Every structure is written in structure tokens, then in C-alpha cells.
Amino acid sequence: AASPSSLWFMKKEKGSTGRHITLLRRHEIDANASKGLYVCPRNGAIASLEVPKIWTINNRKWDNRIYVLVASIEPYVVLFRAGHLRFSVLNYTDDNVAPLPPT
């Protein structure tokens, strides 16, 4: 479960290469939920929780994208499409992370 100090990354649906990313703390998400807003806090955005322990391959961050659609539960029908594997061009260290302002 996310802690109150957890960071959420809000990315606009058409953003890429780190552009259009906003960081929110858990209490900002909870404030919306207390108003009955159980949707992504930014219209047209995708929210993801920070990864506390980053996995690296040869000291590089990476992401693997695949596409899965569960078309039906009964009968069980799943469509799968291979995506891609991306690696960062920079080695990952904690020095690469800029501190956030206090909340």
C-alpha cells in the first residue's frame, strides 16, 4: 500500500520522454477521494505510483511494454501484442535524482 509520503507520477496521455509529468503526494490524491472523486486526479492523464526499489540492468533503468486486452472473462479471451524494451542512456545512481521540495 502507498504511504502518505508516496509519490504519484501523473503523465498526460500524449506526453513522452519525461515531458508533461507532474508529481503528486498521496495526501493530494486522498483529498480528491474524500470529495468522492475516485478517478485519476488529472483529466486525460495516467497515474502511477513510484517504485521504491528500482530494478536496473547493468545500472540502467528500463521499462518493458506489452499490450494485453482481456476481451471477455467467460469465455476467457485475451489478446496480446508484443511491445518493446527500453533502456536508459544514463547509468542510474541516486545522484541523478533531484530532491523534491518539502510538502
Side-chain angles (χ1 to χ4, degrees), residues 7-11 22-24 40 45-51:
L7 279 175
W8 289 81
F9 293 81
M10 304 295 303
K11 182 176 180 180
T22 304
L23 300 176
L24 296 176
C40 185
I46 298 169
S48 63
L49 186 60
E50 73 175 319
V51 178

Side-chain angles (χ1 to χ4, degrees), residues 45-95:
I46 298 169
S48 63
L49 186 60
E50 73 175 319
V51 178
K53 294 182 182 176
I54 302 219
W55 291 357
T56 61
I57 298 174
N58 295 330
N59 280 339
R60 295 183 190 269
K61 291 189 338 182
W62 56 277
D63 69 89
N64 185 15
R65 303 223 178 154
I66 61 169
Y67 303 91
V68 177
L69 170 67
V70 178
S72 174
I73 299 297
E74 208 166 298
Y76 192 60
V77 177
V78 177
L79 304 173
F80 172 85
R81 181 175 155 215
H84 61 269
L85 179 64
R86 295 187 308 176
F87 285 91
S88 171
V89 296
L90 301 174
N91 283 338
Y92 175 79
T93 67
D94 286 339
D95 298 337

Side-chain angles (χ1 to χ4, degrees), residues 4-21:
S5 63
S6 294
L7 279 175
W8 289 81
F9 293 81
M10 304 295 303
K11 182 176 180 180
K12 289 186 178 180
E13 63 182 319
K14 297 193 186 222
S16 65
T17 63
R19 292 185 301 249
H20 309 291
I21 294 176

